[in-house]
Amino acid sequence: VANEFEFIDWLRARTPAASRVLVGPGDDCAVLTPGERPQVVTTDMLMDGVDFIVAEVGPRRVGRKAMAVNLSDIAAMAAVPTSAVVSVALPKSNNFSFAEELYLGLRDVADAFGVPIVGGDTNTWHGPLVVTVTAFGEATERGAVLRSGAQVGDAIFVTGPLGGSIRGHHLDFVPRVREALALHAAVELRAMLDISDGLSADLHHICERSGVGAVLFADAIPTTDIAQTMENPLERALGDGEDFELVFTVSARDAAKLLREPPVPVWRIGEIVAKGYWLQTHGERRELRPTGWVHTTT
Amino acid sequence: VANEFEFIDWLRARTPAASRVLVGPGDDCAVLTPGERPQVVTTDMLMDGVDFIVAEVGPRRVGRKAMAVNLSDIAAMAAVPTSAVVSVALPKSNNFSFAEELYLGLRDVADAFGVPIVGGDTNTWHGPLVVTVTAFGEATERGAVLRSGAQVGDAIFVTGPLGGSIRGHHLDFVPRVREALALHAAVELRAMLDISDGLSADLHHICERSGVGAVLFADAIPTTDIAQTMENPLERALGDGEDFELVFTVSARDAAKLLREPPVPVWRIGEIVAKGYWLQTHGERRELRPTGWVHTTT
């Protein structure tokens, strides 16, 4: 996580009203000062054998992922993360250093974004490791960005290359908090989410909620180096999950502005249309499934 | 849960500024309006085989307990519950009605206190049932009540009879939200928590955080009907956990006021002293252990 500490100062300077902690762990509840702007809240539960294999990756990377997936949801609203609480079920077979490593992993990512862990619930049991993080954030003066605001004619962007996340990126990604805030300051983000189910599935969520369709330009979709070593990089980029890049839409005018002066790296990958869900290759449109598969019969 | 719906109106009338939901489930985060007063946050994770046995009690009672233990923490701060998020890991072996019953149980208790469930994360896996609730509340104009405010000379009270909770009360209790607010409106609550580890252990937390001691009057501690059918009702009341009654301290003057005009049923069970931790029976003091055991050698 490079340069994140500098970023925290920038972030705090932008959000003087963000909630501060009055009382942390040790009482029945944490107590936070109220913010001035709407608060955003997200929760994600990660389980051993489903979201990670702790015997293979170790507890520290699990802790990092558990915090990062939640901050990624805060980023998807273009909000400033303010605090988090953590509940864990620790397998009894593990020693104290297991719990400590898990906590250090949570702190690695939380600290990188100036997010205090203000409370939690620590349990042990005979079952596998479970980690639940609930993260809080505060919308900026522009308001929280929802999934429902995409309009016909909007350009569709992503914040980074996609595909092959299972090879390690799904554990080690940096949540796009900085990128979301920089973009939201530069232009009007009309609809946004973070890619967890896969580009094709997640963009389809935006279309459904906004009552619109979309066309993706096959040649414009950036693929990761890892995906390029795999059999079909484009299918990986469309269908793989847990990229945790942001996909968002802006007006044509704002798109031109973003391409001229991008505050962070962005890729223009498609356009919002009135109806349908399409993948366009060399001018030819084929129907795209939300799973990332292309409908090949004509 | 009798008369709780009437209570909601009373509660809402008292807290016009309490956070309202702008955007509920369906986006990456829920969006809440900021409250005017400090916000309290708590999280509790409940696991099958540890906090309940779902095969014996069914998913609906599990859902009720998962919400109730969190609202009990909000009550312990004398705050008004405002919203909650829920994460679950559902065993794959169960059908849809299992998840529905669990959710209905969560709603039973949440609805009784006007608490919207504003977001969540639903997962399935091959492990046992895990439920994490994170609940939010807003302090009243008197502020949140902490564990650290007990003073020498304070009277110690509880809101109900104790002991034998394992026979069913730990699943079906009503969180003392109403009682906490009524008491906090009537007098100055100096220190409070909800009894989860057992009266003796939890009152000891208040003493440690406040830097004081306590003496409990054995004859004054109310025991449940269930505890009275068990071998040593007083030991059950001191040592059993999960009563989820409130234990709190007030000044001697406020104690007299509470005993004269109790806004809700309360039992005066002891007194805060400078040092030591004692159980007093017929004028004789014996050292009390935080576990609920009495030190019998002299």
Side-chain angles (χ1 to χ4, degrees):
Chain A
V1 183
N3 294 319
E4 293 296 352
F5 286 98
E6 200 177 308
F7 171 59
I8 292 169
D9 294 334
W10 179 82
L11 195 155
R12 288 207 174 121
R14 274 179 58 77
T15 57
S19 304
R20 278 157 310 171
V21 183
L22 292 178
V23 175
D27 265 279
D28 296 279
C29 295
V31 184
L32 309 171
T33 56
E36 284 176 12
R37 288 190 286 266
Q39 183 186 44
V40 301
V41 179
T42 184
T43 185
D44 272 296
M45 177 185 275
L46 274 66
M47 297 106 71
D48 192 10
V50 178
D51 301 289
F52 56 81
I53 298 170
V54 71
E56 289 178 12
V57 305
R60 188 146 187 167
R61 287 173 88 191
V62 170
R64 285 181 187 159
K65 178 171 184 176
M67 184 58 67
V69 298
N70 277 278
L71 298 193
S72 186
D73 281 325
I74 302 283
M77 312 294 277
V80 179
T82 51
S83 58
V85 295
V86 179
S87 285
V88 294
L90 298 163
K92 281 199 168 146
S93 53
N94 292 297
N95 53 22
F96 179 76
S97 78
F98 181 94
E100 197 177 26
E101 283 294 309
L102 178 72
Y103 185 68
L104 288 173
L106 289 157
R107 288 282 304 271
D108 285 342
V109 174
D111 287 353
F113 292 96
V115 171
I117 297 173
V118 299
D121 182 26
T122 307
N123 309 277
T124 59
W125 71 332
H126 292 289
L129 176 63
V130 181
V131 187
T132 307
V133 175
T134 304
F136 313 105
E138 194 168 312
T140 69
E141 65 274 21
R142 280 201 126 139
V145 180
L146 307 183
R147 300 178 174 190
S148 52
Q151 297 177 30
V152 174
D154 279 6
I156 304 166
F157 285 83
V158 288
T159 53
L162 309 176
S165 161
I166 192 68
R167 298 281 177 88
H169 179 75
H170 76 107
L171 292 163
D172 302 320
F173 69 97
V174 177
R176 295 305 191 192
V177 172
R178 177 213 308 259
E179 289 75 6
L181 293 170
L183 289 163
H184 205 34
V187 295
E188 182 204 348
L189 302 175
R190 286 186 165 165
M192 183 160 69
L193 53 66
D194 63 322
I195 301 175
S196 53
D197 296 338
L199 170 62
S200 190
D202 284 323
L203 178 60
H204 198 256
H205 293 319
I206 287 180
C207 290
E208 282 187 312
R209 294 289 297 276
S210 301
V212 296
V215 53
L216 286 175
F217 311 137
D219 294 341
I221 296 170
T223 56
T224 60
D225 292 347
I226 288 280
Q228 284 164 32
T229 68
M230 297 166 89
E231 207 178 326
N232 190 329
L234 181 62
E235 268 188 19
R236 300 255 72 86
L238 288 167
D240 286 358
E242 307 219 312
D243 297 296
F244 296 109
E245 296 293 345
L246 300 169
V247 55
F248 62 93
T249 84
V250 297
S251 70
R253 187 196 178 105
D254 276 343
K257 188 177 169 193
L258 273 190
L259 293 170
R260 211 165 48 233
E261 294 171 3
V264 294
V266 290
W267 284 257
R268 183 169 192 260
I269 62 166
E271 194 177 311
I272 296 294
V273 296
K275 258 184 170 177
Y277 202 52
W278 312 98
L279 183 69
Q280 182 168 311
T281 316
H282 309 305
E284 184 203 350
R285 284 187 186 182
R286 287 177 301 167
E287 196 187 332
L288 179 63
R289 305 277 180 82
T291 55
W293 290 45
V294 172
H295 191 70
T296 45
T297 59
T298 53
Chain B
V1 184
N3 295 318
E4 294 296 352
F5 285 98
E6 200 177 307
F7 171 60
I8 293 168
D9 295 333
W10 178 81
L11 195 156
R12 289 207 175 119
R14 274 180 57 78
T15 57
S19 305
R20 279 156 309 170
V21 183
L22 292 177
V23 174
D27 265 279
D28 295 280
C29 295
V31 184
L32 309 171
T33 56
E36 285 175 12
R37 288 190 285 265
Q39 184 185 45
V40 301
V41 180
T42 185
T43 186
D44 272 294
M45 177 185 273
L46 274 66
M47 298 107 71
D48 192 9
V50 178
D51 301 290
F52 55 82
I53 298 170
V54 70
E56 288 178 12
V57 305
R60 188 146 188 168
R61 287 174 88 192
V62 170
R64 286 181 187 159
K65 178 172 184 175
M67 184 58 67
V69 297
N70 278 278
L71 298 193
S72 186
D73 281 325
I74 303 283
M77 312 294 278
V80 179
T82 52
S83 58
V85 296
V86 179
S87 285
V88 294
L90 297 164
K92 282 200 168 141
S93 53
N94 292 297
N95 53 23
F96 179 76
S97 77
F98 181 94
E100 197 177 26
E101 284 294 309
L102 178 72
Y103 185 69
L104 289 173
L106 288 158
R107 287 283 304 271
D108 284 341
V109 174
D111 287 353
F113 292 96
V115 171
I117 296 173
V118 299
D121 183 26
T122 307
N123 309 276
T124 58
W125 72 332
H126 291 288
L129 176 62
V130 182
V131 187
T132 306
V133 174
T134 303
F136 313 105
E138 195 169 311
T140 68
E141 66 274 20
R142 281 201 125 138
V145 180
L146 308 182
R147 298 178 176 190
S148 51
Q151 296 177 29
V152 175
D154 278 7
I156 304 166
F157 285 83
V158 289
T159 52
L162 310 175
S165 161
I166 192 68
R167 298 282 177 86
H169 180 75
H170 76 107
L171 292 162
D172 303 320
F173 70 96
V174 177
R176 296 304 192 192
V177 172
R178 176 215 307 260
E179 289 76 6
L181 293 170
L183 289 164
H184 205 33
V187 295
E188 183 205 348
L189 302 175
R190 286 186 165 166
M192 182 159 69
L193 53 65
D194 64 321
I195 300 175
S196 53
D197 296 338
L199 170 62
S200 189
D202 284 323
L203 177 60
H204 198 255
H205 294 319
I206 287 181
C207 290
E208 282 188 311
R209 294 291 295 277
S210 301
V212 296
V215 53
L216 287 175
F217 311 137
D219 294 343
I221 297 170
T223 55
T224 60
D225 291 348
I226 289 281
Q228 284 164 31
T229 68
M230 298 167 87
E231 208 177 326
N232 190 330
L234 180 62
E235 269 187 18
R236 301 254 73 86
L238 288 167
D240 285 358
E242 307 218 312
D243 296 296
F244 296 110
E245 296 293 344
L246 301 169
V247 56
F248 63 92
T249 83
V250 296
S251 70
R253 189 198 175 104
D254 274 346
K257 188 176 169 193
L258 273 190
L259 292 171
R260 211 165 46 234
E261 293 171 4
V264 295
V266 290
W267 284 258
R268 183 169 192 259
I269 61 165
E271 194 178 313
I272 296 295
V273 295
K275 260 186 170 177
Y277 202 52
W278 313 97
L279 183 68
Q280 180 168 314
T281 316
H282 308 306
E284 185 203 350
R285 284 186 185 181
R286 287 177 302 167
E287 196 186 331
L288 179 63
R289 304 277 180 82
T291 55
W293 290 44
V294 171
H295 191 69
T296 45
T297 59
T298 54

